[in-house]
Amino acid sequence: MIKFLDLQKITQKYSEEIHNAVHRVVDSGWYLQGKENEIFEKNYAKYIGSKYAVGCANGLDSLILIFRAYIELGIMKPGDEVIVPANTFVASILAISENGLKPVLVEPNIDDYQIDDSKIESAITNKTKAILVVHLYGQCAYTQKIMNLCEKYDLKLIEDNAQAHGCQYKGKKTGSLGDAAGHSFYPGKNLGALGDSGAVTSNDESLIKTIRSLANYGSSKKYVFDYIGKNSRMDEIQAAVLDVKLKYLDEDVSIRQEVAKIYVKEIKNNRIILPKIKDWKSHAFHLFPIRCIDRNRLKEYLEDNEVQTIIHYPIPPHKQKCYKEMNKLSFPITEKIHNEILSIPISQVMSKADIDRVIYLLNSWK
């Protein structure tokens, strides 16, 4: 069986260093808000190219905390609107709704699946306060046109960098391009923890201080509470593990890019649509999505031949039961993508034999 993602094999690459890091934390007797978090936050901020990073419990919380902090700072208020791609994972939209803000969905480009910057301006109203760009599948969604719109309408630019660790835009890492960025370290990400974890990066000191407090019950001083906060903290073990894996992130992304280049060069079935790559350095290949009109039959065929695949994602957010108020909305490009998309295996630990097998099966499919 060719696994969609072999997390055990990925972890084994760094097993000795990870074991040493975990034992160091266990032996220290300090498991929350200690030096491991301080070290990782400093190193991750440096890697991203931002002044600050603050760890939190998961990727969803990272985005929730950004919007909540902007509300506490008086920059946003409940009822304000946030533009977001219609084809994103639901967490991007949940973070907006959780804060009483209104998500305004915008269609993606059909070729690269990123938000269509030509459709954003028509969605801006006097209630719009931010654009949330999602670097979906690991490809950079940022464009200069989006930044120009933020400057023209005085909007915050927030990045959902959950799937794009190691992605670049003209030499800068995603997560450093806007006013703030949310990051997920879910185990399957390019930079994955051994459990749930997340982070926020920003150059805005007041925003980071507010987020750090909000994530610690609303407290910046022990037993003194400035906000009605929440408990969303990265534990010391996850910080130590992530700091080990961070050293190898660029190398791992480079391998993923090479696998993707082989796929693009050698998959030649005209029934299968390959992703359009604008710039190889602007894609970290968290996923390698292909499209096919007969997607479900292709998925079954691959699984019958022992190749695991995943659909990212079978139901678009505006058709989900939790957003029933959106169910009657029509986003035909988004719906087409969700009906046709299929992610095939890609990772830094795939063997050449596995890569060749995937290509052979896709080229042989009729």
Side-chain angles (χ1 to χ4, degrees):
M1 171 66 73
I2 299 175
K3 294 182 179 180
F4 178 75
L5 185 64
D6 194 335
L7 287 178
Q8 187 176 26
K9 194 172 181 181
I10 288 173
T11 304
Q12 285 173 349
K13 281 188 67 176
Y14 334 98
S15 60
E16 184 176 352
E17 290 181 78
I18 286 175
H19 286 142
N20 290 340
V22 171
H23 289 152
R24 183 176 68 246
V25 175
V26 172
D27 291 344
S28 76
W30 195 286
Y31 308 125
L32 281 171
Q33 295 184 299
K35 67 177 183 179
E36 301 292 348
N37 263 265
E38 292 177 11
I39 291 168
F40 175 68
E41 288 176 354
K42 180 181 178 180
N43 288 339
Y44 193 63
K46 182 179 179 181
Y47 174 83
I48 291 297
S50 60
K51 289 183 180 179
Y52 310 105
V54 55
C56 60
N58 53 67
L60 174 57
D61 276 4
S62 72
L63 294 173
I64 289 173
L65 288 164
I66 290 170
F67 289 116
R68 174 69 187 284
Y70 278 131
I71 290 171
E72 294 292 349
L73 291 168
I75 293 169
M76 299 180 191
K77 63 182 184 302
D80 285 341
E81 296 174 352
V82 178
I83 290 172
V84 62
N87 64 318
T88 186
F89 179 56
V90 72
S92 310
I93 299 172
L94 291 174
I96 299 168
S97 303
E98 176 76 10
N99 284 285
L101 302 167
K102 181 182 177 182
V104 176
L105 308 186
V106 170
E107 288 268 56
N109 292 300
I110 190 63
D111 54 357
D112 66 8
Y113 316 127
Q114 308 306 310
I115 191 168
D116 187 341
D117 62 9
S118 70
K119 296 179 179 178
I120 292 176
E121 189 164 19
S122 63
I124 295 173
T125 73
N126 58 6
K127 290 187 175 182
T128 307
K129 291 296 185 288
I131 299 172
L132 176 60
V133 293
V134 182
H135 306 301
L136 196 63
Y137 308 139
Q139 183 156 214
C140 181
Y142 174 94
T143 67
Q144 186 60 49
K145 185 171 184 177
I146 293 174
M147 178 56 77
N148 292 344
L149 289 172
C150 289
E151 292 172 351
K152 179 178 179 180
Y153 293 99
D154 192 24
L155 307 177
K156 293 297 182 183
L157 179 59
I158 302 165
E159 298 173 77
D160 183 339
N161 202 54
Q163 298 186 3
H165 309 117
C167 181
Q168 298 184 36
Y169 175 83
K170 296 184 177 180
K172 294 183 67 176
K173 290 289 198 302
T174 55
S176 68
L177 303 172
D179 295 286
H183 308 256
S184 168
F185 304 122
Y186 179 79
K189 306 298 187 183
N190 287 13
L191 181 61
L194 301 185
D196 256 331
S197 283
V200 174
T201 54
S202 179
N203 292 331
D204 186 335
E205 184 178 11
S206 63
L207 180 74
I208 288 293
K209 283 183 176 179
T210 304
I211 288 171
R212 192 177 294 281
S213 179
L214 285 168
N216 187 36
Y217 300 98
S219 173
S220 57
K221 182 180 179 181
K222 196 171 182 68
Y223 301 135
V224 177
F225 303 93
D226 302 316
Y227 309 103
I228 300 174
K230 63 189 298 180
N231 178 10
S232 181
R233 300 174 297 194
M234 180 185 293
D235 69 65
E236 289 285 275
I237 288 178
Q238 302 306 337
V241 169
L242 288 167
D243 201 55
V244 168
K245 297 177 75 174
L246 179 61
K247 295 182 295 184
Y248 303 100
L249 178 55
D250 283 343
E251 175 186 326
D252 289 343
V253 168
S254 179
I255 296 170
R256 285 173 173 266
Q257 290 169 338
E258 291 305 312
V259 175
K261 287 177 182 178
I262 296 171
Y263 279 160
V264 169
K265 181 180 178 181
E266 297 189 15
I267 296 172
K268 298 184 181 299
N269 189 327
N270 60 15
R271 299 189 63 192
I272 294 170
I273 300 171
L274 300 176
K276 182 177 180 180
I277 313 302
K278 296 179 289 188
D279 176 358
W280 286 97
K281 288 187 177 180
S282 292
H283 205 318
F285 291 100
H286 168 58
L287 300 172
F288 192 94
I290 60 175
R291 280 184 23 241
C292 176
I293 292 174
D294 202 358
R295 186 264 314 281
N296 292 340
R297 189 169 70 84
L298 175 58
K299 179 176 174 61
E300 183 178 350
Y301 160 80
L302 290 171
E303 290 181 352
D304 286 346
N305 284 277
E306 299 192 324
V307 174
Q308 290 182 341
T309 61
I310 297 180
I311 299 171
H312 293 96
Y313 302 94
I315 305 172
H318 69 283
K319 295 297 183 183
Q320 298 284 355
K321 184 178 180 181
C322 64
Y323 284 113
K324 55 183 179 292
E325 70 275 13
M326 297 186 190
N327 287 172
K328 293 183 179 179
L329 297 178
S330 175
F331 294 97
I333 296 174
T334 291
E335 290 158 24
K336 180 177 178 63
I337 291 169
H338 284 259
N339 286 333
E340 297 178 357
I341 206 85
L342 183 68
S343 297
I344 62 175
I346 186 169
S347 80
Q348 62 269 38
V349 295
M350 284 186 74
S351 68
K352 184 178 186 303
D354 286 347
I355 296 167
D356 290 344
R357 177 66 175 164
V358 172
I359 293 168
Y360 170 78
L361 289 170
L362 288 173
N363 287 340
S364 300
W365 184 66
K366 298 178 181 180

